[in-house]
Amino acid sequence: MRLLLVEDEPNIARPVKRALEAQGHQVHHAPDLTTARELLMELEPDLMILDVRLPESEDGGFILAKEARSAGYKGPILFMTARDALADRVMGLDEGGDDYVVKPFDLPELLARVRALLRRVSEVKQSRVQYGPLELDLTDRSVRWEGRVVELSPREYALLERLALFPGRVYSPEELLDLIWGDEASDTGVVKVCVHHLRSKLVNSVVRTVPGGYRLGVEP
């Protein structure tokens, strides 16, 4: 799943991002409201985790949630904030939030709340895509080729899922680097290596190199 984490405290953002990525999610971090607005429009995340106090506003998280709901955002919103007053929790839920975690929190509890919210997303999203011999289960993030389970790393799966969900679209290496690795890498060489691994684990034609980048190479 693609997550947007809005948190201005690096000491909180870093471990939360690492823990979520370890569970296979693509996590994009925004340290302020301006960046969060840009990423929200660009990524259409499956879930947002929002701090409330941001550099631009004491109510930055509430403002972003309200804007997102007004713009039609349907994914879950989890507030992660030190503001623990009853009035704050009520405001957060009224502004479009689905859950509310007060700092300091235990990381396992936060991860459990994220899993619970994402289960709702999985229930309403398409759970399976298939193109010829290639089959992806989007719920458990498994891949089969001609019925055989193929083990992929989280990055390999994320890249293949992106191409499979938009099979006619050509992605440049720079786009894939941003969507899959975020700020974890800056060299498109990692994209080339990931594509090589996918081809070696499946077949060479599963990812096709075309002018402008890559696209899914498997036909229905």
Side-chain angles (χ1 to χ4, degrees):
M1 294 288 189
R2 189 166 51 253
L3 312 185
L4 174 58
L5 170 63
V6 183
E7 171 59 65
D8 63 332
E9 290 289 341
N11 292 336
I12 296 176
R14 277 195 295 266
V16 169
K17 186 173 188 289
R18 279 198 299 268
L20 291 167
E21 288 177 335
Q23 298 194 343
H25 301 299
Q26 303 168 36
V27 184
H28 298 264
H29 172 230
D32 52 59
L33 185 57
T34 301
T35 306
R37 284 172 170 145
E38 294 172 355
L39 288 176
L40 175 61
M41 296 295 294
E42 176 184 342
L43 300 172
E44 298 181 3
D46 296 300
L47 178 146
M48 294 199 292
I49 302 172
L50 308 182
D51 189 9
V52 174
R53 290 193 179 101
L54 295 174
E56 298 95 330
S57 172
E58 286 288 302
D59 293 333
F62 292 155
I63 292 170
L64 182 64
K66 186 175 184 179
E67 290 176 354
R69 294 303 188 204
S70 297
Y73 177 71
K74 303 295 185 185
I77 296 175
L78 169 62
F79 288 109
M80 182 180 69
T81 174
R83 290 173 54 168
D84 60 352
L86 175 61
D88 290 324
R89 298 198 298 273
V90 170
M91 180 182 294
L93 297 175
D94 283 346
E95 296 293 14
D98 297 273
D99 201 354
Y100 201 102
V101 175
V102 176
K103 299 175 183 174
F105 54 82
D106 292 324
L107 188 55
E109 180 187 355
L110 176 71
L111 297 178
R113 289 176 182 269
V114 168
R115 287 195 297 273
L117 291 172
L118 288 178
R119 278 197 293 272
R120 301 182 201 169
V121 177
S122 296
E123 288 171 1
V124 300
K125 288 185 69 172
Q126 182 183 13
S127 63
R128 178 174 167 273
V129 294
Q130 183 164 8
Y131 299 97
L134 176 65
E135 180 181 341
L136 277 74
D137 188 317
L138 306 182
T139 302
D140 63 12
R141 301 169 65 82
S142 64
V143 175
R144 292 176 182 271
W145 181 265
E146 295 181 333
R148 172 180 58 88
V149 175
V150 180
E151 298 293 337
L152 301 181
S153 72
R155 302 289 195 199
E156 292 162 1
Y157 175 84
L159 195 152
L160 184 63
E161 181 189 79
R162 167 61 54 169
L163 298 181
L165 289 176
F166 303 92
R169 192 183 187 290
V170 175
Y171 285 90
S172 69
E174 291 77 13
E175 285 179 291
L176 291 172
L177 180 70
D178 183 56
L179 288 167
I180 309 301
W181 282 265
D183 57 5
E184 294 295 315
S186 57
D187 186 347
T188 56
V190 297
V191 177
K192 185 176 180 180
V193 171
C194 191
V195 169
H196 171 75
H197 289 163
L198 278 173
R199 288 169 170 165
S200 65
K201 291 181 177 181
L202 297 163
V203 295
N204 282 338
S205 60
V206 71
V207 179
R208 182 165 299 170
T209 302
V210 297
Y214 302 101
R215 71 171 178 83
L216 189 71
V218 185
E219 302 298 333

